[in-house]
Amino acid sequence: MKDSRFHSILWIASIAFTCTRYICAAIMCAGALGDKGTYEQALEVQGPFLPIASLVCLFGALLLTCGDLAIVLRDRRNSKNKNDK
């Protein structure tokens, strides 16, 4: 039961990172469609925050997903070794 909750937490965090990354990308893209001067001024004020936040969220989601996959594979290998004995 605890193992299932831990995997759920990892997947929820990964989904949150992915959603945040898409929100950052949407903010960057949507602004380009409006008033170009206002959009460029907003990007100057925010600096590189949105692209950096998007990359951090991408790597965070990948790290959490890979971590969960590694845990699942390790558990399967351990259970297989126990069954072979």
Side-chain angles (χ1 to χ4, degrees), residues 7-85:
H7 291 291
S8 298
I9 290 170
L10 285 178
W11 278 105
I12 290 170
S14 178
I15 290 168
F17 273 128
T18 302
C19 291
T20 304
R21 179 172 60 102
Y22 281 113
I23 290 170
C24 290
I27 291 170
M28 288 187 295
C29 293
L33 300 175
D35 180 25
K36 193 140 182 106
T38 305
Y39 175 67
E40 288 176 3
Q41 185 178 16
L43 283 182
E44 285 178 18
V45 170
Q46 293 173 351
F49 173 73
L50 289 175
I52 289 173
S54 182
L55 282 174
V56 167
C57 289
L58 172 66
F59 290 126
L62 287 174
L63 180 67
L64 290 171
T65 303
C66 290
D68 185 53
L69 181 62
I71 290 169
V72 168
L73 291 175
R74 183 194 65 198
D75 290 346
R76 284 186 185 169
R77 189 173 355 137
N78 287 341
S79 67
K80 184 179 177 183
N81 288 341
K82 287 179 183 178
N83 290 337
D84 289 341
K85 289 181 180 181

